[in-house]
Amino acid sequence: MSAKKEPETVGFWLPKQSSAKMDILTPHKLAVVFLVQEYLTVKKVAEDNAEMRFTARDRRRFCLLLLKLIQYPDMAYKDLYGLLTSPVYGIQRAHLEEFERCMKLLKTVGIEVLFDLYNVIDKLISDSGSSYQIGIVGLYFRRVYITLVKMSFPEFMALYRNSVAYYEKGVRAVQISSSSFSNSESFMKLEAQAVYKDRNSASKWSNKQSELFVAQQSLLLQNNEINALNPKDMQNRLNEIIHDHPLYSQAYFLSYLNSVRVRDFFNAVDAIHRSFDRSALISMALAQDSKEYQYSALNLAILHAQFNHNEEALASIKECIMLAQENSDKICLQLAHAWLCLLDASKPQFSEKNIANKELITLVHSISLGIQSLVKSSASTGYTPAKLFEVLLKSDILNCQTSMMDLIANGIAERAALWAMYGKNEVSSLCSQLLLNSDLKLLGKTYNGEGICQALCSLIIWLAIQGEFNLALTVLKHTHERFPRYPLSKSWMTADYYITSMQAIFRGEWTDASNACYHLYTLDKHLSLLQRAHLALARLNLKSADQMLRQLLEDDTIEPLTRVRALLLTAHTLTSSPEASKMEVVNVLNEALAIANKNYLDYEKALIEMHFAHVLMLLKLPHQALKAIKNCLENILANGGIYDKAKVLFLFVKSVLAVEMAPENKLAKIGKCLPMLEKSVEYFQKLECYAKVKDVYIFLANFYHTLEMPEERNKFAFKYRLIEEQYPTAQEYLNLFF
C-alpha cells in the first residue's frame, strides 16, 4: 500500500493528529464570551440612541481584538484588562464598563449568570438573523456551547469557582499595578510576546490554539526566522503546550527545530525522539498501522547532517530508504536520495530522466530539489555549463508553476553561485541583486529564507573585492539582523571572517588576519587554509605556506575551484623561493590550467595566464609575457576585483615597456601607460594596500632614472617618501607578486 502525501507536506512531515477529547472550558474563554455579549448589548443601545456613537473604527478594533483573544492562549485577567485598555486594541469606555459589571455579577449573583450565558449563546447560534452563525466567532460560540452541554454539574460548579477566583485575583493585580499598560511601550512588550506567563491554574492551551501557534512559528522558522519568537520565549511557550497536551507531537518537533537553531544537539535529539514516539502512540491508540516511520529516520539523518555527523546521517538515510521502499513512499525516497547525494558525492546523482516521468508529476518539490542537487554536484565534475543552466531552468519552471518560494530563491542563488564559479562575477552580482529586488511573498508575507541569505553573502564578498568595505559591512550588518541564528548565520559569518582576513592582509595587519583565519577554520576548513597560506605568503613565511598548501592539495574532497586556487598559491610560493626553479613553477601552473580548462573556470584561467606572464618577465621574455597578459587582460578587467585589476594593469605596463628597446620609444609608451599606472595606484590605495603603491612609485622612479630624467624621478621618489613616512613597510615586503 502506498503512503501518499500532498506535495506541500514534503520535508519535515508529521502525521496528522486527531483528538476525540473536547477542549476544557476555562475562565478566560468565559470572559471572552462575556465580552462579546456586552459588545452586542452596547452596539444595540448605540443604534437606538443617537447621542451614543459606536463608529466603524470601534467595531474594527474590537474585531481585531476578538480574533487575537480567540487565537492566543489563555491569559490572566490582569493581562486581559490591560489589552482591553491598550492604545491599539482598547475598547469603548461604555463597553468596558459593561464588561466589568458582568464580571462583578459573576461574583455577586452566583452560578445563575452561567445559566443565563448558556441561554444567550443558544439564542445567538440559533437565530437565523445572527451574524454569529458563521465565521470564527460563530465556531467559537458553538464549541463553548457544546462543551457547556456536555459538562456535569460538579464540572459546572468547578468552572464557576475557578472563574470567580480568576476574577478576584485579576482585580487585585490590576489595582496593584494600575499603570502596567499606561504607555505604549509596555503594551508592545506584551504584544511581542503574544503569550502570557501568569496563567491561571485552570487555563490551558486549546487544541486549535496549539495547532495555530505551532503552524505559525514553523512557517516563520522556515521562511522568515527573524519574525519568529526568540529561542527562549518559543521554548517557554512550547513547554506550556507540552504540559497541556503531552501527546501533541508537532510541539516536540517545533522544539527540535528550535534547538537546532541554537546548536543544542542533545535537546534536539531528545525532542525529535519524543516527537515520533508520540506519533506512534497516537497511531496505536487509534488502532492504525502507521507506515510513517521512514520520516523519523529521514529527519534524524537531517539532524545529524546539520551537526556534521556524516556517518550517523548516512546510517539513518539507509534505514529511511529501506522503510520507504517497504511502504512504496516515492516522496520519501526522493528526499532521501537528495540527502544521500549531498552527504556522499560518490553516489549516482538525480537522473534527468525522472523529470519527464509522468508518474512523478506529483513529486514537484522533490524533483526540484533533485535538479538543484544535480546541478551542484555536476558543476564540480566538469559538466558543460550550458547544459547545467538548461537543467536549472527546468527547476525554475517547476518552482514558479507551484509558487515554491524557497526553491525559487535557492534556484536564483544557485545560478549566481554558478556564474561566480565560472568567473562571470558581474553576472553573478546581477543575479543576486535580481533576487534581492524580487518581491517574493508566501501567503502575503515576504519570504526571507536561505536563498536570500546566500544572495546577501554573495553581494558582501563582491563589494569587498571591489574595495567597498564600508558598504560590505553595512550589508553584513543587515544580513546579521535578518538571519541571526544557525544554520543561516553560518553563511554570513563565513563571509565576515573571509573579508576581514582579506582586508587585514591588504593592510599588512598580520595579527588581525591570523585571528580571522583561525575563526574561519571552524566554519570552512578549506577556505581557512587558503587564507592562512595567503597570509603566510604575504609575510614571506614560505615554509608555512607550503605546508598548508600541501595539506590542502592532499585532501581529495576539495572542489576543483579550491584546488586551482591552491595550485596558484603554490606557484606564487615557488616563485618567491630562491631555491625553486622556474620550470617547477611552470609545471604547477600547467597542472592548474588543465583543471581550470576541464571545469570551465575562466577567471582562474585568466589569473594563471597573468602568473605565466610574470614568470616570463622573470625569464627576460617580454614579448611572450605581453602576449600572455593580453590573453587575460580583458577577462580580469571585466570580472575581477580591484586588487587583480591593479596587478594586471601594473604587469601589463611593465611588459609593454620591457618590449621597447629604444629610450625614445619607451618615453612615448610611458606617456600612454601612465593613466593605467595611476588607475592601479588608485585601486591599491582604495584597498589600503600601500606596499603595492610603493612598488608602483619605485618602478616609475627607477624607470625615469634609467632615462636620465631627474625631475620625473624625484617626483615619484617624493611620493614614495610620503607614503613610506605615513605607512612604513619593511623592505622585504616590497616588490612581491602574490
Side-chain angles (χ1 to χ4, degrees), residues 19 108 112 143 228 267 279 315 339 347 452 488 494 514 594 675:
S19 177
T108 57
E112 291 85 356
R143 292 180 69 87
N267 280 333
S279 299
W339 278 98
K347 298 298 180 182
I452 304 295
L488 297 181
T494 302
S514 180

Side-chain angles (χ1 to χ4, degrees), residues 251-530:
Y252 293 98
F253 195 82
L254 181 57
S255 177
Y256 149 66
L257 295 178
N258 193 41
S259 299
V260 167
R261 64 174 176 155
V262 294
R263 303 292 286 165
D264 187 350
F265 174 75
F266 296 103
N267 280 333
V269 172
D270 181 68
I272 198 171
H273 284 168
R274 290 177 181 271
S275 171
F276 287 98
D277 286 346
R278 269 56 178 182
S279 299
L281 286 173
I282 290 173
S283 298
M284 293 171 61
L286 298 176
Q288 294 178 354
D289 183 16
S290 177
K291 295 186 177 181
E292 316 303 343
Y293 294 111
Q294 63 267 24
Y295 288 98
S296 61
L298 175 62
N299 283 284
L300 188 60
I302 296 172
L303 171 62
H304 283 299
Q306 289 175 330
F307 286 91
N308 298 321
H309 304 159
N310 284 358
E311 292 184 5
E312 292 84 353
L314 287 172
S316 297
I317 283 289
K318 292 177 181 178
E319 181 182 1
C320 170
I321 291 174
M322 289 189 293
L323 291 171
Q325 287 174 338
E326 290 179 4
N327 297 324
S328 301
D329 192 337
K330 295 179 181 178
I331 291 178
C332 190
L333 281 172
Q334 291 293 334
L335 291 171
H337 189 198
W339 278 98
L340 185 61
C341 295
L342 185 65
L343 294 169
D344 190 351
S346 64
K347 298 298 180 182
Q349 299 300 320
F350 185 90
S351 174
E352 190 180 346
K353 295 179 181 179
N354 287 340
I355 300 171
N357 191 339
K358 295 182 180 179
E359 294 181 359
L360 301 179
I361 198 167
T362 59
L363 309 180
V364 177
H365 195 282
S366 56
I367 290 175
S368 186
L369 280 176
I371 293 174
Q372 292 183 6
S373 174
L374 166 68
V375 171
K376 179 181 181 299
S377 57
S378 300
S380 61
T381 58
Y383 209 72
T384 308
K387 189 66 175 177
L388 292 181
F389 283 112
E390 180 184 345
V391 174
L392 195 58
L393 180 61
K394 296 180 181 180
S395 172
D396 292 339
I397 293 173
L398 288 173
N399 299 336
C400 292
Q401 287 176 342
T402 53
S403 298
M404 292 186 289
M405 296 298 124
D406 55 339
L407 293 180
I408 291 174
N410 289 347
I412 300 176
E414 188 170 20
R415 181 175 280 100
L418 283 176
W419 282 120
M421 187 185 74
Y422 293 132
K424 308 301 180 184
N425 292 313
E426 285 286 356
V427 183
S428 174
S429 175
L430 183 63
C431 287
S432 298
Q433 294 178 53
L434 174 66
L435 175 57
L436 295 174
N437 285 280
S438 300
D439 189 18
L440 295 180
K441 290 186 178 294
L442 184 66
L443 299 178
K445 297 183 179 180
T446 302
Y447 174 76
N448 188 43
E450 181 182 6
I452 304 295
C453 182
Q454 296 296 336
L456 285 169
C457 292
S458 175
L459 194 59
I460 290 168
I461 295 175
W462 175 244
L463 289 171
I465 65 175
Q466 297 304 318
E468 303 291 348
F469 287 104
N470 290 332
L471 292 178
L473 291 176
T474 301
V475 178
L476 179 64
K477 182 181 178 182
H478 172 74
T479 309
H480 182 190
E481 292 172 352
R482 290 182 67 171
F483 307 97
R485 295 180 182 86
Y486 185 87
L488 297 181
S489 61
K490 181 179 178 180
S491 299
W492 61 258
M493 290 174 66
T494 302
D496 182 14
Y497 291 126
Y498 175 68
I499 66 173
T500 300
S501 63
M502 178 171 58
Q503 186 180 25
I505 291 173
F506 289 152
R507 291 176 174 177
E509 299 171 348
W510 311 130
T511 302
D512 293 342
S514 180
N515 291 336
C517 290
Y518 281 115
H519 282 102
L520 187 60
Y521 189 85
T522 61
L523 301 168
D524 191 328
K525 175 182 176 182
H526 296 157
L527 183 59
S528 174
L529 286 173
L530 271 179

Side-chain angles (χ1 to χ4, degrees), residues 18 112 175 181 216 234 274 364 371 449 471 544 585 613 653:
S18 60
E112 291 85 356
Q175 292 173 351
F181 291 87
Q216 287 177 337
M234 183 182 292
R274 290 177 181 271
V364 177
I371 293 174
L471 292 178
S544 178
V585 180
V653 171

